[in-house]
Every structure is written in structure tokens, then in C-alpha cells.
């Protein structure tokens, strides 16, 4: 048993989809969340900048006594975790490995799609890991740079003409590749599930990166006998780098319930 | 005569529309440009964060011996210049004052529209200045939060279904207000001129913030006898806070010609 909190971080709000799943699979597990809302989005930035920001985000989280960190951001997982995870003493669960393992379990025809931010797709991290774990699988990827701004501005519903036109532009080439599994390689994308399914068709299984991370984190803790006991109180403390006021209303959309008033501001550039 | 450079800064790329106009009206004037590409966009951030970032941007520019600064960003001009301009010894020309003066000259019916980022519109800066300078004018404003990401992802052409649908959602309410002048309160928006005109109709005059800034800066320098002499070489040195490689190709779209290889990287959080 280990009642210490898990740290979860993201460039902004998307990682809250992982928090929601962590709360579902481990309801007594306390969580510390950091969202870098003062510098979001990371997905169009260079690898060097993403690594620098990731280091600072992790340094802040490590001011708490944590048992595990979840990098709930596709862009950081794909561009920085291979470098930064070695600098940290506790395990870090990332989006890439969690969702690749799930996709390999799910696929029947060995044809896997990956969508993510520009930096994520450019990194080639998904292709490398899939070909290491399932050498016969074929991978088809597409960058979807406008999905994060669309979601953060509340435009993710099926029937929204603009969202559907942009999704169609990004996903049509993938839909023609006969893939049976699509990794949503960014924790914002689960909110676009209906729109994405609309283009890909009902036979393509979508892998939700936040959910895959949560399941992966829980099984790692179970294996190491580090789950919380039943009397632990759970809950999530939120930290952000911009004004907490702007954060709470959109965060509630991601979490699916209202975010408590426990939101504090951090000067992340000082870490 | 004063051959010192002008400093121009923006949260990212939009301010280059002002550089283009400055080069047109003062071809021998040297320019130092800073774009905060490592933290762009500012338009959805809190006022406190925008003020902090603006101070750092200006502190970096002041490492050069400048005669004038152009804040070529609607979001910073509307949220931070009233505070930060008093802390600096040289004049700062901003987007708000430059475009408000132009709009008041242009309007025939005294009905002026303003579009900008969420932070710009929320600040109320345009309304305050218009009502101070033209008390009889009526102002109608609309936030257009997705315009910056659309432009930065190359989607600004008339005929793009997604861009036209989003523009129509944002602008239709303004188009019904019988305005005859519309301030493009963000230096990214001139690239959307055709799309915006398509919704507003041909009778609405569009005020380009970058152009208004350039004209304002030139007339201030002329008044103070601080223009460059004819033998000055002009040109622009570019500084950014993320990878210069990513910057140059998109910057060329804004500048309308290729950006020289004089692009250097700055750690802006250290200023």
C-alpha cells in the first residue's frame, strides 16, 4: 500500500481526460494536476522548447512527494519523455507507450492509425514503438494541428460545419488506408470522438490516450503493490500557470463534473 | 535625423504585417523584431500573464539602442500598454490608438466595429478610447478566438469552408449592426481580409492595425525630426523565443517576401 499522490501534467487542459479516467479506475487515489495554461499549446513548438518546458513541469510536480507521474500529453510524451524520464527517480507513465500497447491488443488487421499535434507526428515516436513491439504492423499517421484550438474554444460537436470540414481534411486520407484501430495521440481528442468516428466510420476502434494511461498506471501500481488503501480520500488538487479563473469552467467540460475551487497558480518559468 | 532602429514586437508572427508596412513607408529604417513564438498565442491568457510577458518582451528589445517601439499586437496593446508604456523612456506606438484614430477618420455614420482576440475584446480598451476621442460614436465588438490559430495553420483563404463558417459565426452579428468601419484589432487578421470582407460586405471599410501602426510611427518620427537619413540601410533583424527554423517559412507569408537568414533565438523568460 502507498497512499502518496500521483502527479499528472499536461500543456493545458487535455490531461484532465486522464484525470477523469484515473478517478474512475482508482477512486481513492489522490492526484496533483499541473496544466501549463500560461504556455499552452505545445504542439506546434520545437522539440528543444518542449523538452525545456517538460523539465520545468516535472520539477514543479516533484515538489510533492509522489509515487508516480503521468505525462498526460501526447506532445510531451512523444518528444521529451525518452530524455526526461531518465532524470527522475519515480516511474513516469506516458501517452505513447500506454496507447501503443492498447492499439496492438486491439488491432485485427495490423493496420494502425495515429493522429496528434504537429510535433507529435513529426517526432515519429509512435511509429518507432509500434515497429519495435509489433514489427509486422503498418502505421499511418496524420497531424491535426487545429484540433486543440477547436476543442479549447468549445467547438467539438458533431454537426459543427467548421469542425467537420477540418476533421474531414485531416482524416480522409487515413480513412482510405483500411486501418481498424486509430490512436487518439493527444488528450484533447476524446472530446472529438463523435466527429472523428463520423469520418473514420463505425468499424475503426478509437484508442483514448487518457484512458490508456490511467489503465497502464493502475496496473503498474497494482503490480508493485503501491495502490492506495480503501480509506484514502482521493480527490485532485489543480495547479495552473495562468489565471485559475479561466481554467475552472473549461476544466469542468473535460472532467465531466465541476472542478473544486482548489485551483492554485504557479510561476512555472522559475522551476 | 536619427538612424537608430525601431523595435517591433508581437506574441508571434502577426506583427510582421506591421513590419511590412513600416518597410513600405520608411524603406531606410532599420528594424529589430521580436516574436514570442515559444509562448504564442497571448489572446486567450489572463491580463496578469499578458502584462508579465509584455514586460519581458520590451526588456529584451531595450537591450538595443532604439528610438521607438511598436507594440504590433492587439492583445498586448489592449491589455498591457497602459501599464508598461509608463515604465519605458522611449515612445511606444500601439495597435489600439493607431487604429482607433484611423477608424474615427474613416467612419461616416459613427458606427464602428472592433474584432480581436478574447483578451482584447474583454479589455474594453477600444470602446474606452473611441468614446474618449469620439463621444458620439457607437462601438460594436466581437471576439474571434480561432482566427489566430487558423491563420498560423495557413487557413485564411476565401473559399475555405471551415474558415468561412467560423468567420460567419463571429461576424454575422456585427454585419447586422450597420457599421461602416471595422477595426481588425489583431495583426494576424489582414491575412483574412477577403474572408472578412465576404461576410461584412464591400461597403465596410477595414482598418488594418499593422498599417495604422506604421503610419502612426512614421508621422511621430517625422514630427520629432527622428526619421532615418537616405543613406541608412534599412532591413530587419528577427529574434524569436522558439526554434528559428519553424519561424522563417510562415514569416515569409506574412512579410510577402522571403525572410533573411538573420533569425536568432532568445530565452525570453530570463528577461
Amino acid at each position: 500500500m502507498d497512499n502518496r499522490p500521483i502527479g499528472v501534467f499536461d500543456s493545458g487542459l487535455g490531461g484532465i481526460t486522464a484525470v477523469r479516467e484515473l478517478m474512475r479506475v482508482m477512486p481513492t487515489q489522490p492526484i496533483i494536476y499541473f496544466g501549463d495554461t500560461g504556455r499552452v499549446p505545445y504542439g506546434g513548438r520545437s522539440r528543444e522548447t518542449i523538452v525545456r518546458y517538460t523539465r520545468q513541469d516535472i520539477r514543479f510536480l516533484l515538489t510533492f512527494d509522489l509515487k508516480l507521474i503521468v505525462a498526460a500529453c501526447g506532445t510531451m510524451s512523444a518528444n521529451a519523455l525518452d530524455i526526461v524520464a531518465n532524470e527522475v527517480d519515480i516511474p513516469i507513465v506516458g501517452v505513447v507507450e500506454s496507447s501503443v500497447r492498447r492499439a496492438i491488443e486491439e488491432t485485427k488487421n495490423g493496420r494502425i492509425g495515429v493522429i496528434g499535434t504537429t510535433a507529435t507526428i513529426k517526432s515519429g515516436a509512435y511509429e518507432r514503438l509500434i515497429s519495435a513491439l509489433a514489427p509486422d504492423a503498418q502505421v499511418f499517421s496524420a497531424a491535426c494541428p487545429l484540433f486543440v484550438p477547436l476543442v479549447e474554444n468549445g467547438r467539438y460537436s458533431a454537426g459543427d460545419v467548421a469542425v467537420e470540414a477540418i476533421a474531414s481534411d485531416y482524416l480522409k486520407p487515413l480513412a482510405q488506408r483500411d486501418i481498424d484501430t486509430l490512436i487518439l495521440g493527444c488528450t484533447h481528442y476524446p472530446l472529438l470522438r463523435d466527429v472523428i468516428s463520423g469520418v473514420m466510420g463505425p468499424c475503426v476502434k478509437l484508442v483514448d490516450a487518457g484512458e490508456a494511461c490511467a489503465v497502464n498506471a493502475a496496473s503498474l501500481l497494482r503490480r508493485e503493490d503501491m495502490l492506495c488503501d480503501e480509506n484514502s480520500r482521493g480527490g485532485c488538487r489543480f495547479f495552473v500557470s495562468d489565471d485559475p479563473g479561466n481554467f475552472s469552467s473549461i476544466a469542468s467540460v473535460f472532467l465531466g463534473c465541476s472542478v473544486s475551487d482548489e485551483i492554485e497558480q504557479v510561476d512555472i518559468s522559475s522551476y
Side-chain angles (χ1 to χ4, degrees), chain A:
Chain A
M1 293 295 172
D2 185 338
N3 285 344
R4 287 180 299 170
I6 289 178
V8 180
F9 71 108
D10 180 38
S11 58
L13 291 151
I16 300 177
T17 61
V19 170
R20 190 182 58 201
E21 294 302 320
L22 286 166
M23 287 174 155
R24 198 176 56 78
V25 298
M26 297 182 284
T28 64
Q29 174 61 55
I31 296 168
I32 306 287
Y33 183 85
F34 173 68
D36 194 4
T37 54
R39 303 188 297 199
V40 72
Y42 288 9
R45 310 209 192 280
S46 67
R47 184 164 197 195
E48 176 205 343
T49 295
I50 295 164
V51 170
R52 185 156 46 89
Y53 288 177
T54 304
R55 276 206 181 95
Q56 291 178 316
D57 299 347
I58 289 178
R59 269 188 218 131
F60 164 69
L61 281 179
L62 289 176
T63 60
F64 297 88
D65 180 21
L66 305 173
K67 62 182 174 188
L68 176 87
I69 289 176
V70 175
C73 170
T75 302
M76 288 195 265
S77 297
N79 284 278
L81 273 203
D82 55 339
I83 299 169
V84 180
N86 295 323
E87 303 165 2
V88 177
D89 288 337
I90 57 172
I92 302 189
V93 168
V95 162
V96 178
E97 192 182 335
S98 304
S99 42
V100 163
R101 289 188 185 278
R102 174 72 68 87
I104 291 170
E105 284 165 27
E106 294 286 349
T107 185
K108 300 280 186 287
N109 70 359
R111 298 173 71 86
I112 299 171
V114 181
I115 56 174
T117 64
T118 302
T120 295
I121 298 308
K122 210 166 134 191
S123 75
Y126 283 94
E127 286 86 342
R128 279 196 301 280
L129 190 61
I130 292 171
S131 88
L133 298 178
D136 293 337
Q138 282 188 280
V139 188
F140 305 91
S141 64
C144 305
L146 280 163
F147 276 0
V148 169
L150 285 168
V151 168
E152 296 230 339
N153 284 287
R155 297 191 81 135
Y156 45 76
S157 305
D160 182 312
V161 175
V163 176
E164 296 209 331
I166 290 169
S168 173
D169 289 350
Y170 290 156
L171 301 175
K172 269 280 161 65
L174 279 186
Q176 292 160 356
R177 295 300 199 133
D178 191 29
I179 61 172
D180 70 349
T181 307
L182 177 65
I183 296 174
L184 309 183
C186 169
T187 46
H188 281 77
Y189 296 0
L191 278 85
L192 287 160
R193 177 177 278 277
D194 292 346
V195 175
I196 294 168
S197 271
V199 184
M200 299 306 297
C203 301
V204 175
K205 170 91 186 170
L206 306 184
V207 175
D208 174 332
E211 190 196 339
C213 268
V215 170
N216 195 7
S219 68
L220 188 154
L221 292 176
R222 194 171 300 114
R223 221 163 42 232
E224 305 287 331
D225 194 25
M226 286 170 71
L227 288 168
C228 287
D229 66 39
E230 286 168 7
N231 299 321
S232 172
R233 290 184 50 209
C236 186
R237 271 180 80 183
F238 290 95
F239 295 84
V240 292
S241 53
D242 197 0
D243 182 30
N246 290 349
F247 177 78
S248 62
S249 59
I250 319 179
S252 303
V253 173
F254 282 80
L255 199 58
C257 64
S258 92
V259 169
S260 73
D261 47 11
E262 277 284 347
I263 305 174
E264 292 160 67
Q265 193 167 354
V266 175
D267 175 10
I268 194 64
S269 68
S270 69
Y271 284 87

